[in-house]
Structure formats: structure tokens, C-alpha cells
Amino acid sequence: MGVLRLQLPTDPRWVNIVEKNIEEILTDHAWCEQKAATNAITIITNNSEHQDLVQDLLALAKEEIDHFEQVHNIIIKRGLKLGRERKDDYVNELYLYMKKSSNGSRVSSLVERLLFSAMIEARSCERFKVLSENIQDEELAVFYRDLMESEAGHYTTFITYARKYGVGIDVEKRWREWLAFEESVIANYGKGETIHG
């Protein structure tokens, strides 16, 4: 999976599950975008001394909210309803790993949060690629192709800042450990009509 370095690709047959419930995948996707914006704001709140990080994550948060709006507009256009926020078990597993991995220092907490964020963006990017290449719905194929590029940019932003501000931490080693952990987690998913399901 090239640049993203994900260890386990999504089985394209996952798209067959998605296509049976487009309303569900769109609702789940919309909330994923909202959570991504909230996550960026949380990082800003906790690390406001890093001006460059604040500026870049403000732009990222705005983009995520714009994506939320785009998904919501597709939902409205199709006469569907934005359902309630969905629980994301995949992200929750990564979150617990992040909390467990931090040594409690501010630097470690920032690096772990950035790698957590990069991991979600990387897998979302990969899922959007699979959707864009396999879904029969032409509008959604184009939509997910466009979003795939955006998610790749977000992944790069998070990794870059982890390397920049991870003073005294072997960020590359931590990223390899994150990739190995994510492989063990994602192996249990791919059976639901959600972005990470």
C-alpha cells in the first residue's frame, strides 16, 4: 500500500456490503468527518504553543467540516436521513492503544495523538480508494476518489508534525509499532457497512 505503509489491505468485497446500505455508510462517514475535525481542535487546544501546528490543524479542521457538509449534502440530495452518531470500535481500539502508549510527558502525548490521527487518516484514505475503485455508484466513486487525496494529505500532516515535535522519541520506531498494531486490529473488520467496519 505504498506511501501509507498499511500492512493489511481491505478486501474489495467489503464494497459489496457497503452497497447494500448506502444510507448507513454515508451517515457513518459524515460522523467520521465531524470526529476528525474535533480531534484536530483537541490537538490545537493541548498544544497551542506550536504556531505552525495550530495553523495547519485549523486548516485541516475546516476541511474536515467541509467534508462533513459534502457528505450531508449527498444524504439530503438522495432523500436520505443523517442518522445519529455511530460508535467506531476500530477507532476506539486505536484510542486505547494511544492512551496506553504515552509515557505521560507532553511530548509523548503529542506524538501518540499525532500517530493515532495519522493511522486513522491512512486507513480512511485506503478505504476511500477501495470504494472509488469498486463501487458501482458513479457519483460516489468520483466523490471518494477526491476525498482519498485529501485524506493522504492529512496523514502526511500528522506524520510530519510527529517527527518535528517528537524530540527524544524514535518516531519512526513508534510508527512501525502503530502499523503492526493496526494490522492486528483491522483484521477483525471489513464486514460492516461503515468506513472502518
Side-chain angles (χ1 to χ4, degrees), residues 165-181:
Y165 288 118
V167 179
I169 295 173
D170 188 341
V171 174
E172 185 54 37
K173 177 173 178 278
R174 282 299 300 132
W175 184 237
R176 286 194 302 270
E177 289 165 357
W178 266 97
L179 289 164
F181 178 74

Side-chain angles (χ1 to χ4, degrees), residues 1-191:
M1 278 168 282
V3 177
L4 299 175
R5 293 167 59 192
L6 296 172
Q7 305 298 298
L8 187 64
T10 296
D11 186 332
R13 289 176 296 182
W14 164 70
V15 178
N16 300 334
I17 298 166
V18 166
E19 287 178 317
K20 290 176 184 161
N21 196 344
I22 294 296
E23 186 168 22
E24 180 62 25
I25 189 78
L26 290 173
T27 285
D28 182 71
H29 179 195
W31 290 115
C32 284
E33 300 291 357
Q34 178 271 323
K35 289 174 203 168
T38 301
N39 179 60
I41 296 296
T42 298
I43 295 171
I44 290 168
T45 302
N46 294 333
N47 302 278
S48 55
E49 68 275 19
H50 301 306
Q51 188 178 47
D52 53 352
L53 179 141
V54 169
Q55 288 179 304
D56 284 346
L57 291 196
L58 274 172
L60 188 149
K62 288 176 187 173
E63 201 168 278
E64 299 288 21
I65 286 297
D66 180 59
H67 293 167
F68 180 97
E69 184 178 25
Q70 287 180 47
V71 180
H72 190 234
N73 286 341
I74 290 172
I75 289 169
I76 292 168
K77 180 179 158 189
R78 293 178 176 224
L80 305 173
K81 288 260 190 310
L82 174 64
R84 302 291 295 171
E85 181 185 348
R86 303 299 196 252
K87 184 178 171 194
D88 192 326
D89 292 326
Y90 164 82
V91 170
N92 288 340
E93 287 191 55
L94 297 186
Y95 182 82
L96 291 174
Y97 178 70
M98 172 190 74
K99 297 297 276 184
K100 188 180 77 177
S101 299
S102 173
N103 67 17
S105 74
R106 290 204 59 192
V107 172
S108 175
S109 295
L110 173 58
V111 167
E112 292 304 321
R113 173 66 79 155
L114 290 168
L115 295 181
F116 161 79
S117 305
M119 192 79 261
I120 296 167
E121 296 288 350
R123 181 56 69 182
S124 298
C125 178
E126 190 260 356
R127 286 282 168 101
F128 291 167
K129 183 175 191 292
V130 172
L131 277 167
S132 72
E133 292 174 349
N134 296 282
I135 201 163
Q136 298 300 308
D137 187 309
E138 201 170 305
E139 179 190 26
L140 292 182
V142 171
F143 178 62
Y144 282 112
R145 191 171 309 116
D146 291 344
L147 284 194
M148 175 187 73
E149 294 169 15
S150 177
E151 301 296 301
H154 296 170
Y155 154 79
T156 302
T157 296
F158 288 123
I159 285 282
T160 300
Y161 278 114
R163 289 177 178 141
K164 180 172 184 177
Y165 288 118
V167 179
I169 295 173
D170 188 341
V171 174
E172 185 54 37
K173 177 173 178 278
R174 282 299 300 132
W175 184 237
R176 286 194 302 270
E177 289 165 357
W178 266 97
L179 289 164
F181 178 74
E182 196 270 351
E183 179 184 12
S184 72
V185 170
I186 202 67
N188 300 314
Y189 294 92
K191 304 169 190 76

